[in-house]
Amino acid sequence: MSKHPTYRTEGAIERFDERDTVFSREAFVWGSPNEVEYHRRHPERIEVDRRLAAFINAKTEEAEKAGPDVLGPGDRLGRAVYESLFVPPAALALPDMVDGEPAPVEVVWPPREASDRIKDYASRLGADDVRIGPLRQEWVYSHRGSRPFFHEGYTNSPYFTGIPDGYQGAHYGDPVTLSHAHAVSMAFRQDRDLIATGSTRAVDFEVGRIYAKGALASVQLARFIRSLGFPARAHHLRNYLVMLVPVAVDAGIGELARTGYVVSRTLGANFRLSCVTTDLPLAHDSPVDIGMQDFCNKCMKCATNCPSQAIPRDDQTLVHGVWKWKLDEEACLLYWGRTGYTCGICQVVCPWTKPQNAFHRIVASLAVHQSWLRRGLVLGDDIVYGARFKAKPVPSWLAGNE
Ligand code: SF4
Ligand code: SF4
């Protein structure tokens, strides 16, 4: 427990523009008004954004054009996995899925009771950890940048071939307003053996499966709270208004780590997040201090093993008012583009990503409380699990005929 989150800030924290995320920029259609306007403001990103856009096209449209004669059986299986898991959650991104009007009568629960009930409910929906914290306005995106609800832009054909009737209100570049006071952060554990295959369709499968699970749980929880009479909005893979990582850190899911993700005492780095923001009066959990800032200074395992050198080996830098290790998201995503699959190497090599058994609980407790032992624990992890990532085989039910 800690009174304050362990990240350091300096000066005012600048809200992040969703249009600057790699997942917004990879969706550009070259020559579209959005693309032209964005690169007029950011000419330094033209070259890398062309390469990012090529990644998503390779995954979808170009592969479609290539047709079955060109796609080998392995590629077709990979596409089938990707489409089966990443496309359906787009239907959970519709405005009346993530948001809506609350019921006219409010349930009356004291905040502590409401928090306990919400956390139990979210756990039953499948979350492996649930924490509640404040929603700081600094973590609300300043402008919308992600698909699929753009008037003029890319409608993201694998997900939607057009903008559905009645959903013409949201535009790329709209300012974001979200005044909810509380955020319910949910963490969903990934299967370690599947992620340990490196950058394969087994990782696509597991990441897509868990994102879909988190998306459904967030939509269900938001609707549950609205039915209790309070505003609530789901934020998930296909429709975010907030930055899930700092929101989860403030709620105590874990600490900000060298990877740029959250690392949790129980889940390690091997999970995905979704979230519900609300005005239902809720008691907050405390942020946690499990020693990550010091641990990451003594451990480079993610950086050493990252195949794209996207994880920094040097000190934290000041980003938008927050001191952090700054992940090179472009290098990371371009690596995914080169392999054709999502990568989870950094999540699986992290010494905190371990099965929840008695031995690892004791080691985690030592890591939290005995800072002088941390270097030794990293060394121990190298000896037992190997300093270098070794990919596990893709299971037979996902193996292709390449
Ligand atoms: S996902 Fe893979 S490429 Fe990206 S930062 Fe992690 S290890 Fe590096
Ligand atoms: S692998 Fe090591 S340096 Fe990277 S996030 Fe985990 S503990 Fe920190």
Side-chain angles (χ1 to χ4, degrees), residues 267-298:
L267 303 171
N270 189 27
F271 63 94
R272 302 278 160 177
L273 292 164
S274 68
C275 161
V276 171
T277 57
T278 181
D279 280 333
L280 169 69
L282 293 168
H284 292 171
D285 296 302
S286 298
V288 291
D289 181 354
I290 57 172
M292 280 313 295
Q293 308 312 302
D294 179 54
F295 200 102
C296 287
N297 271 326
K298 293 172 175 162

mmCIF file of all heavy atoms in Angstrom, residues 267-298:
data_model
loop_
_atom_site.group_PDB
_atom_site.id
_atom_site.type_symbol
_atom_site.label_atom_id
_atom_site.label_comp_id
_atom_site.label_asym_id
_atom_site.label_seq_id
_atom_site.Cartn_x
_atom_site.Cartn_y
_atom_site.Cartn_z
ATOM 1 N N LEU A 267 0.101 -10.775 -11.007
ATOM 2 C CA LEU A 267 -0.033 -11.144 -12.424
ATOM 3 C C LEU A 267 1.245 -10.896 -13.214
ATOM 4 O O LEU A 267 1.318 -11.231 -14.396
ATOM 5 C CB LEU A 267 -1.183 -10.367 -13.066
ATOM 6 C CG LEU A 267 -2.555 -10.518 -12.404
ATOM 7 C CD1 LEU A 267 -3.560 -9.537 -12.992
ATOM 8 C CD2 LEU A 267 -3.054 -11.944 -12.581
ATOM 9 N N GLY A 268 2.246 -10.293 -12.576
ATOM 10 C CA GLY A 268 3.453 -9.939 -13.301
ATOM 11 C C GLY A 268 3.141 -8.929 -14.392
ATOM 12 O O GLY A 268 2.343 -8.007 -14.183
ATOM 13 N N ALA A 269 3.761 -9.138 -15.556
ATOM 14 C CA ALA A 269 3.514 -8.234 -16.687
ATOM 15 C C ALA A 269 2.556 -8.869 -17.686
ATOM 16 O O ALA A 269 2.285 -8.299 -18.743
ATOM 17 C CB ALA A 269 4.841 -7.920 -17.376
ATOM 18 N N ASN A 270 2.038 -10.039 -17.335
ATOM 19 C CA ASN A 270 1.348 -10.875 -18.316
ATOM 20 C C ASN A 270 -0.180 -10.731 -18.244
ATOM 21 O O ASN A 270 -0.882 -11.689 -17.916
ATOM 22 C CB ASN A 270 1.765 -12.336 -18.084
ATOM 23 C CG ASN A 270 1.277 -13.233 -19.180
ATOM 24 O OD1 ASN A 270 1.084 -12.796 -20.321
ATOM 25 N ND2 ASN A 270 1.042 -14.494 -18.850
ATOM 26 N N PHE A 271 -0.678 -9.539 -18.511
ATOM 27 C CA PHE A 271 -2.132 -9.335 -18.477
ATOM 28 C C PHE A 271 -2.504 -8.153 -19.363
ATOM 29 O O PHE A 271 -1.635 -7.408 -19.830
ATOM 30 C CB PHE A 271 -2.606 -9.099 -17.032
ATOM 31 C CG PHE A 271 -2.039 -7.866 -16.381
ATOM 32 C CD1 PHE A 271 -2.727 -6.666 -16.405
ATOM 33 C CD2 PHE A 271 -0.805 -7.895 -15.740
ATOM 34 C CE1 PHE A 271 -2.213 -5.520 -15.813
ATOM 35 C CE2 PHE A 271 -0.271 -6.765 -15.138
ATOM 36 C CZ PHE A 271 -0.991 -5.574 -15.175
ATOM 37 N N ARG A 272 -3.789 -8.023 -19.598
ATOM 38 C CA ARG A 272 -4.336 -6.887 -20.354
ATOM 39 C C ARG A 272 -5.384 -6.206 -19.494
ATOM 40 O O ARG A 272 -5.968 -6.825 -18.600
ATOM 41 C CB ARG A 272 -4.981 -7.355 -21.661
ATOM 42 C CG ARG A 272 -4.048 -8.114 -22.574
ATOM 43 C CD ARG A 272 -3.173 -7.211 -23.421
ATOM 44 N NE ARG A 272 -2.020 -7.943 -23.907
ATOM 45 C CZ ARG A 272 -1.105 -7.438 -24.722
ATOM 46 N NH1 ARG A 272 -1.188 -6.194 -25.155
ATOM 47 N NH2 ARG A 272 -0.092 -8.164 -25.115
ATOM 48 N N LEU A 273 -5.649 -4.949 -19.839
ATOM 49 C CA LEU A 273 -6.544 -4.135 -19.013
ATOM 50 C C LEU A 273 -7.800 -3.734 -19.765
ATOM 51 O O LEU A 273 -7.784 -3.566 -20.981
ATOM 52 C CB LEU A 273 -5.833 -2.838 -18.619
ATOM 53 C CG LEU A 273 -4.650 -2.948 -17.674
ATOM 54 C CD1 LEU A 273 -3.839 -1.657 -17.717
ATOM 55 C CD2 LEU A 273 -5.110 -3.253 -16.255
ATOM 56 N N SER A 274 -8.885 -3.560 -19.019
ATOM 57 C CA SER A 274 -10.009 -2.750 -19.486
ATOM 58 C C SER A 274 -10.508 -1.982 -18.273
ATOM 59 O O SER A 274 -10.006 -2.184 -17.161
ATOM 60 C CB SER A 274 -11.110 -3.596 -20.134
ATOM 61 O OG SER A 274 -11.751 -4.416 -19.182
ATOM 62 N N CYS A 275 -11.480 -1.119 -18.462
ATOM 63 C CA CYS A 275 -11.823 -0.195 -17.385
ATOM 64 C C CYS A 275 -13.249 0.333 -17.563
ATOM 65 O O CYS A 275 -13.776 0.364 -18.678
ATOM 66 C CB CYS A 275 -10.788 0.932 -17.449
ATOM 67 S SG CYS A 275 -11.175 2.453 -16.654
ATOM 68 N N VAL A 276 -13.858 0.721 -16.439
ATOM 69 C CA VAL A 276 -15.148 1.409 -16.473
ATOM 70 C C VAL A 276 -15.001 2.685 -15.656
ATOM 71 O O VAL A 276 -14.529 2.633 -14.505
ATOM 72 C CB VAL A 276 -16.266 0.527 -15.882
ATOM 73 C CG1 VAL A 276 -17.560 1.326 -15.713
ATOM 74 C CG2 VAL A 276 -16.508 -0.690 -16.775
ATOM 75 N N THR A 277 -15.373 3.806 -16.213
ATOM 76 C CA THR A 277 -15.400 5.049 -15.434
ATOM 77 C C THR A 277 -16.848 5.350 -15.071
ATOM 78 O O THR A 277 -17.774 5.030 -15.831
ATOM 79 C CB THR A 277 -14.785 6.217 -16.218
ATOM 80 O OG1 THR A 277 -15.478 6.368 -17.463
ATOM 81 C CG2 THR A 277 -13.314 5.984 -16.484
ATOM 82 N N THR A 278 -17.042 5.964 -13.909
ATOM 83 C CA THR A 278 -18.407 6.112 -13.404
ATOM 84 C C THR A 278 -18.504 7.223 -12.367
ATOM 85 O O THR A 278 -17.480 7.655 -11.819
ATOM 86 C CB THR A 278 -18.878 4.774 -12.777
ATOM 87 O OG1 THR A 278 -20.215 4.928 -12.306
ATOM 88 C CG2 THR A 278 -17.998 4.359 -11.620
ATOM 89 N N ASP A 279 -19.746 7.621 -12.089
ATOM 90 C CA ASP A 279 -20.019 8.530 -10.977
ATOM 91 C C ASP A 279 -20.717 7.822 -9.825
ATOM 92 O O ASP A 279 -21.143 8.477 -8.870
ATOM 93 C CB ASP A 279 -20.868 9.725 -11.453
ATOM 94 C CG ASP A 279 -20.011 10.772 -12.142
ATOM 95 O OD1 ASP A 279 -18.805 10.846 -11.813
ATOM 96 O OD2 ASP A 279 -20.525 11.489 -13.004
ATOM 97 N N LEU A 280 -20.878 6.506 -9.919
ATOM 98 C CA LEU A 280 -21.381 5.771 -8.753
ATOM 99 C C LEU A 280 -20.419 6.039 -7.594
ATOM 100 O O LEU A 280 -19.207 5.814 -7.750
ATOM 101 C CB LEU A 280 -21.406 4.266 -9.076
ATOM 102 C CG LEU A 280 -21.653 3.309 -7.909
ATOM 103 C CD1 LEU A 280 -23.099 3.444 -7.394
ATOM 104 C CD2 LEU A 280 -21.394 1.861 -8.329
ATOM 105 N N PRO A 281 -20.900 6.523 -6.450
ATOM 106 C CA PRO A 281 -19.963 6.802 -5.341
ATOM 107 C C PRO A 281 -19.246 5.527 -4.894
ATOM 108 O O PRO A 281 -19.901 4.542 -4.521
ATOM 109 C CB PRO A 281 -20.875 7.351 -4.233
ATOM 110 C CG PRO A 281 -22.069 7.881 -4.957
ATOM 111 C CD PRO A 281 -22.274 6.954 -6.123
ATOM 112 N N LEU A 282 -17.928 5.545 -4.971
ATOM 113 C CA LEU A 282 -17.118 4.358 -4.679
ATOM 114 C C LEU A 282 -15.958 4.724 -3.761
ATOM 115 O O LEU A 282 -15.376 5.817 -3.886
ATOM 116 C CB LEU A 282 -16.539 3.779 -5.977
ATOM 117 C CG LEU A 282 -17.534 3.178 -6.977
ATOM 118 C CD1 LEU A 282 -16.856 2.931 -8.323
ATOM 119 C CD2 LEU A 282 -18.121 1.875 -6.439
ATOM 120 N N ALA A 283 -15.608 3.811 -2.865
ATOM 121 C CA ALA A 283 -14.392 3.982 -2.059
ATOM 122 C C ALA A 283 -13.202 3.547 -2.905
ATOM 123 O O ALA A 283 -13.312 2.616 -3.709
ATOM 124 C CB ALA A 283 -14.494 3.128 -0.806
ATOM 125 N N HIS A 284 -12.082 4.227 -2.739
ATOM 126 C CA HIS A 284 -10.905 3.943 -3.566
ATOM 127 C C HIS A 284 -9.938 2.992 -2.880
ATOM 128 O O HIS A 284 -9.776 3.034 -1.663
ATOM 129 C CB HIS A 284 -10.163 5.248 -3.887
ATOM 130 C CG HIS A 284 -10.940 6.140 -4.797
ATOM 131 N ND1 HIS A 284 -10.565 7.432 -5.082
ATOM 132 C CD2 HIS A 284 -12.085 5.934 -5.497
ATOM 133 C CE1 HIS A 284 -11.441 7.974 -5.906
ATOM 134 N NE2 HIS A 284 -12.375 7.090 -6.166
ATOM 135 N N ASP A 285 -9.272 2.181 -3.714
ATOM 136 C CA ASP A 285 -8.121 1.413 -3.229
ATOM 137 C C ASP A 285 -6.898 2.321 -3.264
ATOM 138 O O ASP A 285 -6.902 3.368 -3.914
ATOM 139 C CB ASP A 285 -7.896 0.199 -4.141
ATOM 140 C CG ASP A 285 -9.069 -0.768 -4.082
ATOM 141 O OD1 ASP A 285 -9.369 -1.239 -2.979
ATOM 142 O OD2 ASP A 285 -9.697 -1.022 -5.129
ATOM 143 N N SER A 286 -5.850 1.879 -2.589
ATOM 144 C CA SER A 286 -4.611 2.678 -2.584
ATOM 145 C C SER A 286 -3.686 2.219 -3.700
ATOM 146 O O SER A 286 -3.679 1.031 -4.051
ATOM 147 C CB SER A 286 -3.880 2.494 -1.260
ATOM 148 O OG SER A 286 -4.676 2.948 -0.213
ATOM 149 N N PRO A 287 -2.883 3.132 -4.230
ATOM 150 C CA PRO A 287 -1.821 2.694 -5.153
ATOM 151 C C PRO A 287 -0.859 1.776 -4.394
ATOM 152 O O PRO A 287 -0.866 1.761 -3.164
ATOM 153 C CB PRO A 287 -1.121 3.997 -5.554
ATOM 154 C CG PRO A 287 -1.962 5.102 -5.051
ATOM 155 C CD PRO A 287 -2.844 4.574 -3.969
ATOM 156 N N VAL A 288 -0.071 1.021 -5.130
ATOM 157 C CA VAL A 288 0.861 0.097 -4.465
ATOM 158 C C VAL A 288 2.310 0.491 -4.748
ATOM 159 O O VAL A 288 2.622 1.091 -5.782
ATOM 160 C CB VAL A 288 0.641 -1.370 -4.932
ATOM 161 C CG1 VAL A 288 -0.689 -1.887 -4.420
ATOM 162 C CG2 VAL A 288 0.740 -1.498 -6.444
ATOM 163 N N ASP A 289 3.163 0.137 -3.791
ATOM 164 C CA ASP A 289 4.606 0.278 -3.975
ATOM 165 C C ASP A 289 5.202 -1.104 -3.738
ATOM 166 O O ASP A 289 5.362 -1.534 -2.600
ATOM 167 C CB ASP A 289 5.169 1.291 -2.975
ATOM 168 C CG ASP A 289 6.672 1.471 -3.154
ATOM 169 O OD1 ASP A 289 7.265 0.734 -3.960
ATOM 170 O OD2 ASP A 289 7.241 2.347 -2.483
ATOM 171 N N ILE A 290 5.472 -1.817 -4.844
ATOM 172 C CA ILE A 290 6.057 -3.161 -4.705
ATOM 173 C C ILE A 290 7.555 -3.118 -5.048
ATOM 174 O O ILE A 290 8.169 -4.155 -5.263
ATOM 175 C CB ILE A 290 5.316 -4.203 -5.583
ATOM 176 C CG1 ILE A 290 5.303 -3.790 -7.061
ATOM 177 C CG2 ILE A 290 3.897 -4.417 -5.075
ATOM 178 C CD1 ILE A 290 4.748 -4.867 -7.999
ATOM 179 N N GLY A 291 8.090 -1.909 -5.115
ATOM 180 C CA GLY A 291 9.528 -1.770 -5.341
ATOM 181 C C GLY A 291 9.934 -1.798 -6.804
ATOM 182 O O GLY A 291 11.111 -1.957 -7.129
ATOM 183 N N MET A 292 8.966 -1.613 -7.719
ATOM 184 C CA MET A 292 9.293 -1.763 -9.147
ATOM 185 C C MET A 292 10.300 -0.738 -9.645
ATOM 186 O O MET A 292 11.108 -1.052 -10.538
ATOM 187 C CB MET A 292 8.030 -1.636 -10.004
ATOM 188 C CG MET A 292 7.147 -2.857 -10.089
ATOM 189 S SD MET A 292 8.018 -4.375 -10.416
ATOM 190 C CE MET A 292 8.662 -4.090 -12.037
ATOM 191 N N GLN A 293 10.222 0.491 -9.129
ATOM 192 C CA GLN A 293 11.123 1.509 -9.674
ATOM 193 C C GLN A 293 12.576 1.087 -9.434
ATOM 194 O O GLN A 293 13.430 1.217 -10.308
ATOM 195 C CB GLN A 293 10.820 2.883 -9.045
ATOM 196 C CG GLN A 293 9.354 3.302 -9.109
ATOM 197 C CD GLN A 293 8.748 3.127 -10.506
ATOM 198 O OE1 GLN A 293 9.232 3.701 -11.477
ATOM 199 N NE2 GLN A 293 7.687 2.325 -10.608
ATOM 200 N N ASP A 294 12.831 0.559 -8.248
ATOM 201 C CA ASP A 294 14.170 0.075 -7.930
ATOM 202 C C ASP A 294 14.448 -1.256 -8.648
ATOM 203 O O ASP A 294 15.535 -1.468 -9.195
ATOM 204 C CB ASP A 294 14.269 -0.089 -6.411
ATOM 205 C CG ASP A 294 15.629 -0.616 -5.994
ATOM 206 O OD1 ASP A 294 16.637 -0.001 -6.384
ATOM 207 O OD2 ASP A 294 15.684 -1.651 -5.296
ATOM 208 N N PHE A 295 13.449 -2.134 -8.671
ATOM 209 C CA PHE A 295 13.647 -3.449 -9.301
ATOM 210 C C PHE A 295 14.020 -3.274 -10.776
ATOM 211 O O PHE A 295 14.950 -3.908 -11.279
ATOM 212 C CB PHE A 295 12.379 -4.298 -9.156
ATOM 213 C CG PHE A 295 12.613 -5.766 -9.326
ATOM 214 C CD1 PHE A 295 12.690 -6.603 -8.227
ATOM 215 C CD2 PHE A 295 12.781 -6.323 -10.591
ATOM 216 C CE1 PHE A 295 12.934 -7.973 -8.384
ATOM 217 C CE2 PHE A 295 13.023 -7.674 -10.757
ATOM 218 C CZ PHE A 295 13.093 -8.505 -9.647
ATOM 219 N N CYS A 296 13.276 -2.403 -11.470
ATOM 220 C CA CYS A 296 13.556 -2.201 -12.906
ATOM 221 C C CYS A 296 14.924 -1.563 -13.130
ATOM 222 O O CYS A 296 15.528 -1.750 -14.183
ATOM 223 C CB CYS A 296 12.467 -1.343 -13.553
ATOM 224 S SG CYS A 296 10.903 -2.206 -13.783
ATOM 225 N N ASN A 297 15.414 -0.817 -12.133
ATOM 226 C CA ASN A 297 16.768 -0.273 -12.254
ATOM 227 C C ASN A 297 17.816 -1.369 -12.160
ATOM 228 O O ASN A 297 18.916 -1.246 -12.685
ATOM 229 C CB ASN A 297 17.030 0.764 -11.153
ATOM 230 C CG ASN A 297 16.611 2.153 -11.609
ATOM 231 O OD1 ASN A 297 16.728 2.488 -12.780
ATOM 232 N ND2 ASN A 297 16.108 2.950 -10.678
ATOM 233 N N LYS A 298 17.456 -2.462 -11.488
ATOM 234 C CA LYS A 298 18.410 -3.552 -11.286
ATOM 235 C C LYS A 298 18.193 -4.698 -12.272
ATOM 236 O O LYS A 298 18.887 -5.710 -12.213
ATOM 237 C CB LYS A 298 18.279 -4.072 -9.854
ATOM 238 C CG LYS A 298 18.719 -3.033 -8.823
ATOM 239 C CD LYS A 298 18.414 -3.441 -7.408
ATOM 240 C CE LYS A 298 19.008 -2.408 -6.444
ATOM 241 N NZ LYS A 298 18.420 -2.495 -5.106
#
